[in-house]
């Protein structure tokens, strides 16, 4: 999806409408240049899950006025994905906005919205997380979910580690057990961010256990719901379609 003037105007209108509605939210990542430039394929908005319906309605009304009057909704366990479509003189255009309540991993609330919002800062027409919260999320989310560290974010993460080491380390102590927070920091503080990749399984267990210790009932309930959701999703998955093209060598 290319980012044109249509998307820029629509996103700006969405920000203004959400502000006028008094909905607390943040642009979670890749805020640089928004709404005029977007270096990502979508826009991630962090807000309380209870505010998802009101935010969706507010965004829908604002975007419909600018031609994005068709909406496709994909509802996942922790994310509500909104894709708006519109027909313009230069053809069909779309804009994708995802609503997230912080970062939840398999039922463990690693980052709660209110925790991030408490340290957030205003950036023009919208709010963004603190540099430390942003850097830790850029590191830990792809690591826990996919076992990777995104190379395009390494420089940003390293800059915050070097300029705000105490703030970065404090977040590690908040989301992990003491042992794993120390092990991760040993690698991060010397710039070996990719050296934390082999720690994925230990960090997953640590994040879950930390969340359980802080909120045992909520974590158990969310983890159980996560398991049920995943089993149901895999059980109703349609069989794959295979297409084979065969012929002699060189065909």
């Amino acid at each position: 999806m290319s980012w044109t003037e249509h998307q820029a105007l629509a996103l700006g209108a969405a920000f203004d409408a959400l502000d006028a509605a008094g909905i607390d939210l943040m642009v979670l990542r890749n805020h640089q240049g928004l709404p005029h430039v977007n270096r990502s394929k979508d826009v991630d908005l962090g807000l309380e899950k209870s505010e998802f319906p009101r935010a969706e309605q507010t965004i829908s009304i604002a975007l419909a006025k600018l031609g994005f009057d068709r909406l496709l909704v994909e509802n996942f366990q922790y994310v509500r994905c909104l894709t708006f479509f519109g027909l313009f003189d230069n053809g069909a255009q779309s804009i994708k906005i995802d609503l997230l309540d912080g970062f939840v991993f398999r039922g463990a609330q690693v980052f709660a919205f209110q925790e991030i919002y408490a340290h957030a800062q205003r950036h023009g027409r919208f709010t963004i997380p603190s540099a430390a919260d942003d850097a830790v999320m850029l590191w830990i989310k792809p690591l826990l979910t996919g076992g990777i560290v995104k190379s395009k974010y390494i420089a940003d993460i390293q800059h915050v580690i070097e300029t705000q080491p105490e703030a970065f380390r404090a977040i590690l102590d908040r989301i992990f057990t003491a042992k794993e927070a120390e092990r991760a920091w040993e690698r991060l503080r010397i710039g070996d961010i990719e050296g934390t990749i082999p720690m994925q399984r230990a960090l997953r267990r640590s994040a879950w256990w930390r969340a359980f210790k802080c909120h045992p009932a909520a974590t158990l309930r969310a983890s159980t719901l996560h398991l049920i959701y995943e089993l149901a999703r895999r059980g109703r998955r349609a069989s794959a379609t295979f297409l084979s093209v065969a012929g002699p060598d060189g065909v």
Side-chain angles (χ1 to χ4, degrees):
M1 179 194 74
S2 59
W3 195 260
T4 70
E5 183 181 0
H6 296 295
Q7 282 88 353
L9 290 173
L11 185 60
F15 286 146
D16 293 343
L18 291 164
D19 244 3
I23 299 174
D24 292 337
L25 58 85
M26 299 172 290
V27 176
L28 287 178
R29 60 186 66 86
N30 295 313
H31 66 273
Q32 296 86 349
L34 291 178
H36 306 293
V37 178
N38 186 7
R39 64 177 188 170
S40 181
K41 65 180 180 180
D42 51 24
V43 179
D44 290 342
L45 299 183
L47 64 158
E48 289 280 11
K49 197 167 186 177
S50 60
E51 289 280 36
F52 281 13
R54 195 158 71 99
E56 180 179 332
Q57 182 182 36
T58 301
I59 296 169
S60 298
I61 293 171
L63 267 61
K65 293 177 181 178
L66 294 174
F68 290 94
D69 53 3
R70 296 166 178 83
L71 171 62
L72 171 66
V73 177
E74 295 176 277
N75 200 31
F76 299 97
Q77 194 170 2
Y78 307 118
V79 185
R80 189 164 176 85
C81 302
L82 312 176
T83 306
F84 297 88
F85 300 89
L87 294 175
F88 302 90
D89 292 338
N90 57 343
Q93 297 285 343
S94 65
I95 178 171
K96 188 171 184 291
I97 299 175
D98 294 342
L99 309 181
L100 304 91
D101 177 20
F103 171 43
V104 182
F105 176 71
R106 296 182 181 178
Q109 187 88 47
V110 182
F111 278 91
F113 167 75
Q114 287 297 341
E115 288 178 334
I116 312 171
Y117 195 74
H119 307 105
Q121 54 193 9
R122 191 71 181 179
H123 181 83
R125 296 164 77 173
F126 50 86
T127 300
I128 60 174
S130 69
D133 279 327
D134 185 46
V136 176
M137 286 189 289
L138 290 176
W139 163 64
I140 199 58
K141 186 174 181 180
L143 177 55
L144 292 189
T145 57
I148 62 171
V149 174
K150 293 188 177 181
S151 57
K152 64 180 179 179
Y153 296 138
I154 287 180
D156 294 338
I157 297 167
Q158 187 60 43
H159 174 72
V160 174
I161 291 172
E162 293 173 355
T163 57
Q164 301 183 39
E166 295 86 1
F168 196 103
R169 176 57 199 270
I171 298 170
L172 298 187
D173 289 333
R174 190 180 79 221
I175 65 177
F176 295 122
T177 56
K179 178 183 176 181
E180 296 307 327
E182 178 60 30
R183 288 185 65 231
W185 182 242
E186 287 176 0
R187 302 257 53 88
L188 293 166
R189 67 183 177 83
I190 62 174
D192 185 17
I193 297 174
E194 292 183 329
T196 60
I197 293 175
M199 302 179 189
Q200 183 202 32
R201 294 182 65 182
L203 291 175
R204 281 177 166 182
R205 290 192 297 267
S206 178
W208 192 93
W209 183 246
R210 179 69 173 173
F212 174 75
K213 289 180 67 177
C214 294
H215 307 285
T219 302
L220 277 179
R221 182 172 60 251
S223 296
T224 302
L225 290 173
H226 171 82
L227 179 60
I228 294 171
Y229 177 88
E230 283 298 306
L231 290 174
R233 182 181 65 84
R234 296 180 187 187
R236 66 174 178 263
R237 180 181 297 171
S239 300
T241 299
F242 292 92
L243 175 65
S244 174
V245 180
D249 290 348
V251 72

